[in-house]
C-alpha cells in the first residue's frame, strides 16, 4: 500500500471516529440555550443561573430574575459553591472560598429522557453554613437509572443567607419585600425555575418532589409549612431533619436571643456601622468561621412572618402543612454531629427541664456513655420528631417513616450506629465516589476512643474527621443492593407518592399507634416500636418544650 492510500485510510478512520462520537445534548430554556454533557450514563447540565448574582445592592435582597444570554451557554462544568468556611475533609471539591455569584443549579436526566418524567429537587445540608451542589455525594447515578430527573442547586449560606439587622428590616419593609431568610428564598426561587423550565429536559413540572438531608431536610419541613412555597412541589422527603425550634426575628423566643441581636454583634465584629458599609465589604471578610458556628454566633433561620411562620412540629400537628405525600427518616446515630458540643447529662436535664432520675434510667445502660447525652438529643430531635411529623400527616396526605441502620461490613464494628449523612450516597448511587472501606474489619473495641480523637481533631485542628465522613465499599454486594433498594424506593415515591417497590417489604403509611417504620439494615426490613420508652418520653417533652438553647449551637 502506497503512502497516499495509507494517508487516505487514516483520514477516513478519523472522520468515522468523529461521526461516531455522540453529539452533546443541547436544550432551550427561558434564558437561552444550554449545551451539557454525558456522564455516568446520564445527561448533565451544570452551572445554570436560576437568579441574578446577589452582589452589590442585591446582597441581602430576595433573589432577582437571572439575565438571558445569546448563543449557546457551556453547561458542562459546575459553578462555584457559595461563600463558606473551609473545613478539612468536609470541603473537598467545593472550590472554596466560594463566590457570591453562586445561585446556579444543575439538571441530571436519563440519556433518553422522553417527556413528563418525575422531578426530584435536592436541597443540600451542611448547617446552612457549608457544602454545595457540586459535592460528589450528590451525583444521582442510581436515581437517574430509575427514570427520574434530579435537580441540585446552591443557595446562600451563613450570614449571606440568614441575616436581619434592624436597618435591613426597615429597608425591606419600605420595599415591600420579605426579609432575612434569603437562603430559603433562594430555595423557593430554584423551585420556580424548575416549574418554568424543567419540561425542556423531559421533566413534568406538575410532579416535583423536594428532598434534602440535615439542614436540607429541615428546609423541606420549612417549605412544607411556608405559604410562599405552596404549589411549587407535589411530594416531599426529609432525611435526618432535626427539629430544634426557630428563633424570633426581633423578639426573644424560647430562651433564644432574637436574630437582630445576634446580627448586631456580627456587625460589630466585622467593624460595620451600617448596611451600606456591610454591602461594600469584600466577601471573605463576611464569611463566618467554623468556630463561629460552634460557638453559636450564627443565628440561622428564624421566624420572619412571611417565608417562615413557625416551627414545623406544631404547624404539622395543626394541619398547616402542604397536602402532599411526605416521607421522613433518620439514621441510627444521626446525633453523631452533636457529639463535639454535647452537654453533660446533668446539664442536659437542666437545659431541657427533664427529670435526671428518668434520664439515668433511660440512658444509664447506653453501651457508649461518651455519646449518652447526644443520644438523648437524638431521641428528641431526630427519632421523636420523625415519628411526630410522619404521624401528623394522617388525614392530610400519606406519610411514611424510615430508619437507616446500614454500614458497610468492614467499618460497622467501629461505630455505635450509622452517623449523620451516611445514607446519602446509597440514595443517590454515588457510593463508589466515596472514601472506600478498609480491606479488613475494624476493631469493635474503644469506640469512645475513636470518637474522642475525632472530637479533638475538630476542636483543636479544625479537621472534620474521616470517621464522620461517609465510607462505603463499591465492590460489596450488600452496599450495591442497599443502594438499589433505596434509590428505587425514593424514585417510586417521586413517581407516585408511594415508596413501595415490588420485591421489597411492605412499607406502610406511618401512625404512632402501629409505629411501623421501614428499616434499612442487614436483617429485617421493618421495625416496630423503635426505642419506644426512650422516644415516647422525649416526644412528650418535644410537644411541650418550654425553652431550649439547642438552636444556637446545634443547627444541622
Amino acid at each position: 500500500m502506497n503512502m497516499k492510500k495509507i494517508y487516505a485510510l487514516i483520514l477516513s478512520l478519523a472522520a468515522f471516529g468523529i461521526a461516531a462520537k455522540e453529539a452533546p445534548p443541547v436544550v432551550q430554556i427561558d434564558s437561552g440555550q444550554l449545551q451539557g454533557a454525558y456522564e455516568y450514563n446520564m445527561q448533565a447540565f451544570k452551572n445554570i443561573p436560576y437568579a441574578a448574582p446577589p452582589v452589590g445592592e442585591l446582597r441581602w435582597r430576595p433573589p432577582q430574575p437571572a439575565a438571558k444570554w445569546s448563543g449557546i451557554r457551556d453547561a458542562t462544568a459546575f459553578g462555584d459553591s457559595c461563600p463558606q468556611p473551609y473545613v478539612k475533609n468536609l470541603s473537598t471539591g467545593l472550590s472554596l472560598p466560594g463566590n457570591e455569584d453562586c445561585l446556579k443549579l444543575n439538571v441530571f436526566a436519563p440519556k433518553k429522557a422522553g417527556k413528563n418524567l418525575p422531578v426530584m429537587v435536592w436541597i443540600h445540608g451542611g448547617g446552612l453554613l457549608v457544602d454545595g451542589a457540586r459535592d460528589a455525594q450528590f451525583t444521582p447515578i442510581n436515581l437517574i437509572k430509575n427514570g427520574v430527573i434530579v435537580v441540585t442547586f446552591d443557595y446562600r449560606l451563613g450570614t449571606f443567607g440568614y441575616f436581619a439587622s434592624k436597618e435591613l428590616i426597615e429597608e425591606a419593609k419600605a420595599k415591600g419585600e420579605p426579609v432575612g431568610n434569603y437562603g430559603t428564598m433562594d430555595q423557593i426561587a430554584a423551585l420556580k425555575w424548575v416549574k418554568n423550565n424543567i419540561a425542556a429536559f423531559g421533566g413534568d413540572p406538575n410532579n416535583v418532589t423536594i428532598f434534602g438531608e440535615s439542614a436540607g431536610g429541615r428546609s423541606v419541613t420549612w417549605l412544607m409549612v411556608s405559604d410562599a412555597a405552596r404549589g411549587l412541589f407535589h411530594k416531599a422527603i426529609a432525611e435526618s431533619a432535626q427539629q430544634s425550634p426557630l428563633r424570633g426575628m426581633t423578639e426573644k423566643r424560647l430562651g433564644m436571643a432574637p436574630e437582630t441581636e445576634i446580627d448586631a454583634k456580627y456587625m460589630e465584629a466585622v467593624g460595620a456601622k451600617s448596611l451600606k458599609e456591610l454591602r461594600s465589604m469584600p466577601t471573605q471578610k463576611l464569611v463566618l468561621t467554623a468556630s463561629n458556628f460552634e460557638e453559636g454566633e450564627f443565628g440561622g433561620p428564624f421566624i420572619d412572618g412571611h417565608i417562615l411562620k413557625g416551627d414545623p412540629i406544631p404547624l404539622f400537628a395543626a394541619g398547616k402543612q402542604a397536602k402532599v405525600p411526605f416521607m421522613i427518616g433518620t439514621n441510627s446515630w444521626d446525633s453523631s454531629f452533636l457529639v463535639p458540643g454535647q452537654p453533660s447529662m446533668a446539664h442536659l436535664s437542666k437545659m431541657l427541664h427533664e427529670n435526671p432520675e428518668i434520664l439515668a434510667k433511660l440512658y444509664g445502660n447506653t453501651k457508649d456513655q461518651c455519646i449518652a447525652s447526644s443520644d438523648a438529643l437524638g431521641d428528641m430531635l431526630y427519632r421523636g420528631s420523625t415519628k411526630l411529623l410522619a404521624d401528623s400527616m394522617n388525614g392530610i396526605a400519606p406519610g411514611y417513616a424510615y430508619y437507616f441502620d446500614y454500614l458497610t461490613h468492614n467499618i460497622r464494628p467501629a461505630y455505635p450506629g450509622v452517623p449523620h449523612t451516611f445514607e446519602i450516597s446509597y440514595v443517590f448511587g454515588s457510593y463508589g465516589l466515596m472514601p472506600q472501606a478498609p480491606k479488613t474489619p475494624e476493631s469493635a473495641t474503644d469506640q469512645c476512643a475513636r470518637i474522642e480523637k475525632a472530637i479533638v481533631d475538630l476542636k483543636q485542628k479544625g479537621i472534620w474527621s474521616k470517621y464522620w465522613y461517609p465510607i462505603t465499599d463499591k465492590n460489596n454486594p450488600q452496599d450495591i443492593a442497599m443502594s438499589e433498594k433505596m434509590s428505587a424506593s425514593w424514585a417510586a415515591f417521586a413517581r407516585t407518592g408511594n415508596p413501595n417497590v415490588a420485591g421489597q417489604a411492605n412499607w406502610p403509611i406511618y401512625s404512632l399507634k402501629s409505629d411501623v417504620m421501614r428499616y434499612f439494615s442487614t436483617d429485617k426490613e421493618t421495625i416496630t416500636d423503635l426505642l419506644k420508652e426512650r422516644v415516647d418520653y422525649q416526644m412528650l417533652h418535644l410537644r411541650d418544650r418550654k425553652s431550649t438553647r439547642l438552636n444556637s449551637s446545634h443547627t444541622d
Side-chain angles (χ1 to χ4, degrees):
M1 186 180 290
N2 62 35
M3 289 303 296
K4 284 186 178 181
K5 289 183 178 180
I6 293 173
Y7 185 64
L9 179 61
I10 291 172
L11 285 176
S12 65
L13 289 172
F16 176 79
I18 292 169
K21 188 176 180 180
E22 205 164 15
V26 176
V27 298
Q28 174 76 49
I29 62 171
D30 286 353
S31 303
Q33 283 189 301
L34 296 165
Q35 179 177 295
Y38 294 110
E39 56 183 51
Y40 299 108
N41 203 34
M42 59 188 177
Q43 297 181 62
F45 297 87
K46 302 175 181 177
N47 197 30
I48 308 168
Y50 67 87
V55 298
E57 290 302 308
L58 293 185
R59 186 186 273 173
W60 299 304
R61 289 277 308 282
Q64 302 298 309
K68 295 185 178 182
W69 60 83
S70 58
I72 299 178
R73 179 185 173 96
D74 182 4
T76 59
F78 287 115
D80 290 331
S81 301
C82 291
Q84 59 188 275
Y86 174 79
V87 182
K88 188 174 180 180
N89 294 337
L90 196 62
S91 301
T92 303
L94 290 182
S95 69
L96 298 188
N99 188 333
E100 283 187 81
D101 181 8
C102 61
L103 301 187
K104 312 289 179 57
L105 53 73
N106 317 289
V107 180
F108 301 89
K111 287 190 76 171
K112 295 182 180 179
K115 293 182 180 180
N116 294 323
L117 293 181
V119 181
M120 301 185 73
V121 180
W122 173 252
I123 307 173
H124 75 78
L128 305 174
L129 185 70
V130 296
D131 215 349
R134 62 186 292 155
D135 190 326
Q137 294 180 85
F138 313 143
T139 308
I141 298 168
N142 279 355
L143 289 173
I144 300 303
K145 190 170 72 173
N146 278 282
V148 300
I149 288 175
V150 176
V151 177
T152 66
F153 66 95
D154 287 281
Y155 56 94
R156 282 173 279 184
L157 303 169
T159 48
F160 294 99
Y162 298 88
F163 180 78
S165 69
K166 290 181 180 179
E167 186 182 358
L168 182 60
I169 292 171
E170 289 303 313
E171 178 191 272
K173 185 177 179 181
K175 291 179 181 292
E177 295 177 346
V179 64
N181 291 300
Y182 300 105
T184 307
M185 294 182 216
D186 293 343
Q187 295 168 7
I188 293 169
L191 289 172
K192 289 178 178 177
W193 184 97
V194 168
K195 184 178 181 68
N196 293 331
N197 292 282
I198 204 63
F201 301 87
D204 183 354
N206 297 309
N207 190 9
V208 175
T209 298
I210 55 172
F211 71 133
E213 185 272 343
S214 191
R218 293 188 78 196
S219 295
V220 166
T221 64
W222 297 329
L223 294 172
M224 282 283 286
V225 294
S226 175
D227 292 340
R230 289 294 160 89
L232 296 176
F233 60 91
H234 312 92
K235 302 171 187 71
I237 303 171
E239 302 173 26
S240 304
Q242 69 104 325
Q243 294 294 312
S244 55
L246 293 165
R247 69 178 68 249
M249 185 164 70
T250 59
E251 74 286 351
K252 188 174 182 178
R253 182 171 187 263
L254 300 175
M256 295 180 290
E259 183 69 20
T260 49
E261 183 178 313
I262 288 174
D263 291 339
K265 291 179 180 177
Y266 169 75
M267 289 180 68
E268 184 179 349
V270 299
K273 295 181 180 179
S274 69
L275 185 57
K276 183 177 180 180
E277 286 185 25
L278 269 180
R279 283 184 170 138
S280 67
M281 284 183 169
T283 303
Q284 274 310 106
K285 183 153 181 131
L286 300 174
V287 175
L288 287 168
T289 66
S291 61
N292 291 150
F293 175 60
E294 283 295 322
E295 292 162 10
E297 295 177 13
F298 171 45
F302 48 89
I303 297 171
D304 64 81
H306 182 82
I307 301 298
L308 298 181
K309 290 188 174 181
D311 293 313
I313 286 179
L315 290 175
F316 268 60
K320 300 292 182 66
Q321 70 272 50
K323 294 176 173 56
V324 302
F326 179 66
M327 183 206 301
I328 185 169
T330 181
N331 296 356
S332 56
W333 190 31
D334 246 336
S335 59
S336 60
F337 89 104
L338 296 173
V339 172
Q342 69 181 344
S344 66
M345 263 306 189
H347 184 60
L348 182 70
S349 65
K350 183 178 179 181
M351 181 173 69
L352 300 180
H353 305 290
E354 295 190 1
N355 187 323
E357 293 181 1
I358 295 178
L359 286 179
K361 177 185 175 184
L362 292 175
Y363 300 99
N365 293 326
T366 301
K367 178 186 173 186
D368 303 288
Q369 279 298 301
C370 59
I371 65 164
S373 67
S374 64
D375 214 24
L377 290 172
D379 284 342
M380 180 179 69
L381 299 176
Y382 288 105
R383 299 180 186 104
S385 62
T386 291
K387 291 185 179 187
L388 284 175
L389 290 172
D391 181 71
S392 292
M393 294 304 297
N394 285 298
I396 302 292
Y400 299 89
Y402 72 84
Y403 193 58
F404 183 71
D405 192 27
Y406 176 81
L407 286 170
T408 194
H409 180 267
N410 283 356
I411 68 168
R412 181 79 206 209
Y415 291 83
V418 179
H420 201 57
T421 77
F422 274 47
E423 89 289 353
I424 296 173
S425 65
Y426 293 103
V427 170
F428 277 73
S430 58
Y431 56 93
L433 307 178
M434 295 297 98
Q436 295 296 292
K439 299 298 182 184
T440 57
E442 293 184 327
S443 170
T445 60
D446 290 332
Q447 284 184 354
C448 282
R450 292 175 187 267
I451 293 167
E452 291 300 328
K453 182 181 183 305
I455 293 171
V456 169
D457 285 346
L458 180 63
K459 289 188 171 182
Q460 296 183 8
K461 304 175 185 177
I463 297 172
W464 188 259
S465 173
K466 292 180 180 179
Y467 178 75
W468 281 325
Y469 195 84
I471 298 169
T472 64
D473 183 348
K474 63 184 178 182
N475 298 315
N476 185 333
Q478 286 187 334
D479 282 46
I480 296 168
M482 182 57 68
S483 181
E484 296 285 350
K485 285 181 181 179
M486 297 186 78
S487 58
S489 287
W490 265 238
F493 182 82
R495 189 174 297 108
T496 67
N498 185 330
N500 279 287
V501 175
Q504 295 191 35
N506 178 53
W507 187 340
I509 289 174
Y510 182 81
S511 74
L512 279 171
K513 185 175 180 180
S514 58
D515 200 9
V516 180
M517 305 170 76
R518 180 73 167 88
Y519 190 43
F520 292 102
S521 70
T522 53
D523 46 20
K524 56 188 180 180
E525 294 189 288
T526 59
I527 188 167
T528 304
D529 296 334
L530 172 68
L531 297 171
K532 185 171 178 56
E533 186 179 13
R534 284 172 30 175
V535 176
D536 280 359
Y537 175 74
Q538 295 297 353
M539 281 197 296
L540 180 66
H541 285 265
L542 190 62
R543 287 186 177 115
D544 190 34
R545 183 66 62 212
K546 293 294 190 295
S547 68
T548 182
R549 296 183 184 276
L550 293 173
N551 199 62
S552 63
S553 59
H554 293 297
T555 304
D556 70 335

